[in-house]
Amino acid sequence: MGTHRRPKPPSRARIATIGMAAGAVSLLPTQSQAAPKPTVDEVRKQVELLYEEAEAPTEEYNGIREKQKELQREAERARERLARKQQEINELREKIGPLAAAQYRSGGIDPSVELFLSGDPDDYLHQAEMLDRTSSRQADALRAMQNMQRELAQERATVQEQLQDLQETRAKAKEKKDEVQGKLAKARKLLNSLTAAQRAKMEADQEREDAAAGASDSAATYNGPASGRAKVALDFAYAQLGKPYEWGSTGPNSYDCSGLTGASWRAAGVSLPRTVKQQYDVGRKVAKSDLQPGDIIYWYNDNQHNGMYVGNGKAIHAPRTGKNVEIVPLDSMPFFAASRP
């Protein structure tokens, strides 16, 4: 029998390799281990994306709220018309009452018998003529009341439809509000996941970027080339510098993007509709090469974000949650179009 050979011991290099492999395996995340926390830059990018995604539903919410206000006004006017018609019917009923009573008192007797019983035929004939007129007036009044009751029923149906529309509009507004608030809540949760030091770093990075972009943090006076109404609008906008962005807000303490453009031009006596899309639709379009201070700038598309051109390749806008009204380079976001109120 041959001698039994012992297995060759592993070399040091082999031991090192096995050890590294084992270490690598132990470092791989298991289901029980938490996923690695996102970095400050990752959080910042995710937060920016959530804020950007919140802009479109914010504008939809603004449009729905405007429709809701109009429906409320219409429903109120319809209620007033209902009340007036009901009052008219009540007054007619009061008039018809005595007429009906007079007819009842004279009715039920054959006219020839009544003539025979009458001591004065002339007086009887006069009374009969009066009663005939009374009966005619009563018929007219009844017809008028029937028409009014028909109108009242139609008005009630109209009010019912308007109230139904209003209820549906309120539900849509709530849906959009929940969507926006959901995105903002996610952003807050991400921000709250950072340590105080990480948040401070993120804010410092943002401030550096804003400074590099030329953003201003406090109210200033417009001293550019605009004149007339455009200057008045820009004077107003500059006075809002540093005020916070707040979704759905039209001032005076905070603004969303279309809230700022609308308020600025309103100060100049020009009434603009509420949303980015509506402002785009009513404005006279101008080419980027023909921009004048006061023109409204649309970024990304025709319904997401807008601001006002101030001249010298810059614009003023209410950016997004967590930031203030600021001045930025025109091309800091993808330029889509411009319009002149």
Side-chain angles (χ1 to χ4, degrees):
M1 287 181 65
T3 59
H4 178 70
R5 296 183 65 183
R6 294 176 64 189
K8 189 178 176 183
S11 67
R12 282 186 183 177
R14 175 79 175 142
I15 290 168
T17 306
I18 292 168
M20 284 173 67
V25 170
S26 69
L27 290 173
L28 288 172
T30 65
Q31 286 186 342
S32 62
Q33 286 178 313
K37 279 194 170 186
T39 65
V40 174
D41 282 342
E42 284 169 344
V43 166
R44 188 173 160 194
K45 281 174 188 170
Q46 288 175 43
V47 167
E48 288 286 346
L49 183 62
L50 284 164
Y51 286 149
E52 192 177 314
E53 286 174 353
E55 281 194 283
T58 293
E59 288 302 311
E60 287 180 63
Y61 172 81
N62 289 339
I64 293 166
R65 285 284 294 153
E66 286 301 293
K67 185 184 175 188
Q68 184 180 331
K69 286 176 193 170
E70 181 53 38
L71 282 170
Q72 281 172 328
R73 285 192 291 267
E74 283 178 13
E76 200 52 49
R77 287 194 292 266
R79 280 198 190 99
E80 287 169 9
R81 289 197 300 272
L82 269 178
R84 280 198 302 273
K85 279 193 170 61
Q86 190 64 62
Q87 182 59 32
E88 286 171 12
I89 286 172
N90 293 345
E91 287 169 7
L92 260 179
R93 278 201 180 113
E94 287 173 12
K95 286 178 186 173
I96 290 170
L99 293 174
Q103 190 181 49
Y104 174 78
R105 281 196 301 273
S106 65
I109 302 176
D110 184 275
S112 59
V113 176
E114 198 166 355
L115 178 60
F116 176 75
L117 292 173
S118 173
D120 185 344
D122 287 338
D123 182 49
Y124 163 75
L125 291 170
H126 175 68
Q127 285 182 32
E129 190 182 345
M130 290 288 289
L131 282 168
D132 187 52
R133 282 203 293 272
T134 300
S135 179
S136 176
R137 283 203 305 276
Q138 185 190 15
D140 289 344
L142 281 168
R143 274 193 295 274
M145 191 167 84
Q146 282 171 342
N147 288 337
M148 280 187 186
Q149 282 175 325
R150 262 197 305 273
E151 288 172 13
L152 188 67
Q154 287 170 351
E155 200 68 63
R156 278 198 179 118
T158 301
V159 169
Q160 200 58 43
E161 283 174 19
Q162 286 171 337
L163 290 174
Q164 181 66 30
D165 287 346
L166 184 56
Q167 194 173 349
E168 287 171 9
T169 304
R170 278 185 181 140
K172 280 182 196 168
K174 184 183 182 305
E175 185 184 311
K176 286 297 161 190
K177 186 176 182 179
D178 290 348
E179 186 179 343
V180 173
Q181 289 183 327
K183 289 184 184 299
L184 298 184
K186 277 185 189 175
R188 278 194 299 274
K189 191 175 176 183
L190 278 167
L191 290 171
N192 289 339
S193 72
L194 298 175
T195 64
Q198 286 174 319
R199 272 201 297 272
K201 178 186 181 304
M202 187 168 155
E203 285 165 14
D205 290 346
Q206 186 66 61
E207 282 171 15
R208 273 197 302 276
E209 278 187 19
D210 287 347
S216 174
D217 290 327
S218 58
T221 304
Y222 175 74
N223 56 8
S227 60
R229 286 178 167 179
K231 184 179 187 309
V232 176
L234 284 168
D235 283 343
F236 179 92
Y238 267 62
Q240 313 316 308
L241 281 165
K243 288 187 180 180
Y245 174 99
E246 184 180 2
W247 76 277
S249 180
T250 57
N253 300 318
S254 58
Y255 298 88
D256 63 21
C257 63
S258 55
L260 177 66
T261 53
S264 299
W265 274 101
R266 188 163 56 251
V270 178
S271 179
L272 293 178
R274 175 67 181 92
T275 70
V276 171
K277 172 72 172 159
Q278 290 166 336
Q279 291 177 8
Y280 173 83
D281 288 342
V282 301
R284 181 162 49 95
K285 307 304 176 293
V286 291
K288 192 177 182 183
S289 55
D290 294 329
L291 280 175
Q292 291 179 12
D295 289 347
I296 297 181
I297 306 297
Y298 304 88
W299 290 284
Y300 301 105
N301 53 42
D302 64 354
N303 66 7
Q304 186 167 337
H305 191 68
N306 69 359
M308 287 168 64
Y309 187 60
V310 302
N312 198 29
K314 291 185 178 177
I316 186 168
H317 73 143
R320 48 86 172 158
T321 302
K323 294 186 77 175
N324 302 328
V325 175
E326 63 181 9
I327 293 168
V328 293
L330 180 63
D331 293 323
S332 59
M333 293 168 279
F335 177 90
F336 174 75
S339 70
R340 191 163 295 156

